Amino acid sequence: MSGIIVVGSQWGDEGKGKVVDVFSAQADYVVRYQGGANAGHTLVVNGVKTVLHLVPSGILHSKTVCVIAAGVVLDIEEVVSEIRALREAGLIANSEQLRISDQCTVLLSHHRKLDQAREKAAGHEKIGTTGRGIGPAYEDRASRQAILFGDLFDQTTLKDKLKASIVETNFLLKEYYKTEPVELEELYKRLLELTEELAPYRAKDASMLVHKALKGGKKVLFEGAQGTMLDLLHGSYPFVTSSSTISGSACIGSGIGPNSVQKIIGITKAYTTRVGSGPFPTEIHGPLGERIRIEGHEFGATTGRPRRCGWLDLVAMKYAIRVNGITNLALMKLDVLSGHEKIEVCTSYKLDGQEIKDMPTSTADLVRVEPVYRALTGWNDDITQVRSIQDLPQAARDYIQFIGNELATPIDVVSVGPGREQTLWIKPLFN
Ligand code: GDP
Ligand code: IMO
Ligand code: MG
């Protein structure tokens, strides 16, 4: 089978969008399987930047079919505005390029309002969500109150479903958070307008579509959103998102069996970033962290918030390799580390004076760990114009080799800039 999962191995924003865009030149299908418009995936082609939140990152390739699968919480306003912008740019000329599962959870304004009201009320205790309504939408799915994408096309039942779906949230908004509820008639009218625009992209059974593609030997990429440490079950709870972000979620979210997967590629920044609250053992405070933020343009693609920056954390990486079953790595943003005399890499933690090599399961412990670093020699040269691994400075090659050896996982791709051409291949993508 020819399925490849692309998964974020850190706290998100590793460069998944760039990788999926580059890989899509060789893929027939790209499937987004979880998360929602909390994701911000950036593609840079000939200097032109496209930021996608819901539409899969294969969309710039006209021959690649992009699928939004059941596991996604589909923000109807956002997906329509993304489709409009892409169409204005001359893309998605054919609606067969974008297929949306009938089983996606529909995300509406009441979800966004509740997310934002909760964060506001939490004050310093907030999660630091993107405010995109992700938690409330997944809650509705789990409590069986959600509207599914397919429901939008049955107008005899839609209004009743919408009413049932907003009633509890409206109560919370009005009575508990003392904020404006959503208005049923207004929302219903808006939903009908947006449904009409989305009708051409309706896949109905997207699981069957992907299954047939895999069975027919087509090359299928599964595009993850967020990152391992934001996983609802295996991340630093409660400072996580509300979906499963690890590779197993690709099967669940798309409705395909694990035996369809050939490779799991962990997308890894050459350093680490995190947006929002929660533990981050290798975070660098002060001027050095600020320097990486500026040189790496580390500002959120969804919210514009400054990303917290720190050194590469191999303890967290080993955890990510384990829980995802990562078979290969793509090392991103190596160019951002140019010009440092020393580059530190965290190889273990100290917890209560004891050295530990595995991620603690308790978030309270993760808050308390102290990173143990190994300092590697840096390099000065600008590497953004380098086009093959051999042409990288020796110290940069040593850095790559050190990471690959420590993680006992092959690094197949190295990225030295946001552009497609700034991609150095060590091994081909599809066998
Ligand atoms: P994603 O959420 O994992 O898709 O990542 P984001 O798009 O949120 O953030 C990654 C940022 O780094 C984007 O602005 C990309 O254009 C940029 N980027 C990706 N790869 C590289 C690289 O190798 N070098 C540099 N300098 N920027 C990169
Ligand atoms: P991509 O796909 C980085 C973070 C938020 C917050 C937590 C919960 O671009 O890598 P949510 O809105 O999901 O309820 O927020 O998760 N978060 C991300 N951080 N990259 C993302 O996506 C993220 N999506 C959510 O900052 O800490
Ligand atoms: Mg992002």
Side-chain angles (χ1 to χ4, degrees), residues 13-14 27 88 121 201 207 211 231 267 277 283 288 303 336 342 357 403-404:
D13 303 325
E14 297 90 349
E88 274 164 30
Y201 306 101
S207 154
H211 170 77
D231 184 274
I267 312 307
S277 323
E283 181 168 15
L288 184 55
T303 57
V336 176
K342 291 271 171 226
K357 291 207 170 257
I403 296 165

Side-chain angles (χ1 to χ4, degrees), residues 5 7-10 228 247 263-268 316-330 407-410:
I5 301 175
V7 70
S9 63
Q10 296 154 315
T228 303
S247 63
K263 243 185 200 181
I264 300 162
I265 306 186
I267 312 307
T268 307
M317 280 303 303
K318 281 180 188 161
Y319 177 73
I321 288 169
R322 173 160 65 87
V323 296
N324 287 293
I326 288 171
T327 56
N328 308 72
L329 293 165
L407 297 176
T409 307

Side-chain angles (χ1 to χ4, degrees), residues 294-317:
I294 302 293
E295 291 178 355
H297 302 286
E298 296 295 356
F299 296 89
T302 298
T303 57
R305 290 178 293 179
R307 294 174 181 153
R308 300 155 65 191
C309 298
W311 295 119
L312 185 64
D313 182 343
L314 295 182
V315 180
M317 280 303 303

Side-chain angles (χ1 to χ4, degrees), residues 33-36 38-39 71-73 105 107 111 115 118-119 127-142 225-246 249:
Y33 53 84
Q34 47 72 227
N38 48 350
V72 170
V73 283
T105 301
L107 187 153
H111 298 120
D115 184 6
R118 276 185 184 153
E119 284 284 278
I127 305 289
T129 73
T130 58
R132 297 294 185 106
I134 305 301
Y138 277 115
E139 284 166 35
D140 270 8
R141 182 69 182 235
Q226 290 80 52
T228 303
M229 259 57 83
L230 293 171
D231 184 274
L232 180 61
L233 301 180
H234 302 283
S236 46
Y237 191 87
F239 302 102
V240 293
T241 189
S242 296
S243 69
S244 263
T245 60
I246 59 173
S249 187

Side-chain angles (χ1 to χ4, degrees), residues 135-153:
Y138 277 115
E139 284 166 35
D140 270 8
R141 182 69 182 235
S143 65
R144 291 148 293 179
Q145 292 176 26
I147 294 180
L148 306 191
F149 185 62
D151 292 335
L152 301 183
F153 301 94

Side-chain angles (χ1 to χ4, degrees), residues 36-235:
N38 48 350
H41 295 177
T42 314
L43 287 45
V44 179
V45 180
N46 300 325
V48 179
K49 182 164 143 178
T50 306
V51 181
L52 300 168
H53 301 284
L54 281 162
V55 171
S57 299
I59 202 70
L60 303 190
H61 299 263
S62 60
K63 292 202 174 72
T64 307
V65 178
C66 288
V67 180
I68 302 181
V72 170
V73 283
L74 190 75
D75 184 326
I76 297 293
E77 293 279 352
E78 174 58 37
V79 76
V80 167
S81 72
E82 232 167 89
I83 291 170
R84 281 186 195 155
L86 288 163
R87 288 182 64 84
E88 274 164 30
L91 298 154
I92 338 186
N94 175 357
S95 62
E96 293 300 313
Q97 271 176 265
L98 178 66
R99 313 305 300 147
I100 304 174
S101 167
D102 261 10
Q103 288 164 296
C104 286
T105 301
V106 168
L107 187 153
L108 295 167
S109 55
H110 59 296
H111 298 120
R112 267 181 261 123
K113 279 191 163 192
L114 183 57
D115 184 6
Q116 290 161 17
R118 276 185 184 153
E119 284 284 278
K120 196 169 163 209
H124 290 305
E125 304 294 309
K126 69 180 180 191
I127 305 289
T129 73
T130 58
R132 297 294 185 106
I134 305 301
Y138 277 115
E139 284 166 35
D140 270 8
R141 182 69 182 235
S143 65
R144 291 148 293 179
Q145 292 176 26
I147 294 180
L148 306 191
F149 185 62
D151 292 335
L152 301 183
F153 301 94
D154 180 0
Q155 286 179 14
T156 55
T157 59
L158 181 60
K159 200 168 182 182
D160 288 341
K161 282 187 178 153
L162 184 61
K163 197 171 168 186
S165 162
I166 65 174
V167 66
E168 273 184 35
T169 309
N170 264 351
F171 180 80
L172 278 176
L173 286 172
K174 201 165 157 222
E175 306 299 333
Y176 188 77
Y177 292 107
K178 309 286 179 213
T179 180
E180 280 297 296
V182 294
E183 217 274 304
L184 176 66
E185 288 302 329
E186 217 173 278
L187 191 58
Y188 180 61
K189 209 170 129 237
R190 182 78 185 136
L191 205 47
L192 293 184
E193 284 165 20
L194 297 171
T195 300
E196 203 178 309
E197 268 193 68
L198 289 171
Y201 306 101
R202 183 181 183 194
K204 294 194 178 162
D205 192 346
S207 154
M208 179 66 92
L209 181 72
V210 178
H211 170 77
K212 281 187 175 162
L214 286 162
K215 217 166 171 210
K218 299 284 186 207
K219 296 183 169 101
V220 181
L221 288 177
F222 294 91
E223 176 182 9
Q226 290 80 52
T228 303
M229 259 57 83
L230 293 171
D231 184 274
L232 180 61
L233 301 180
H234 302 283

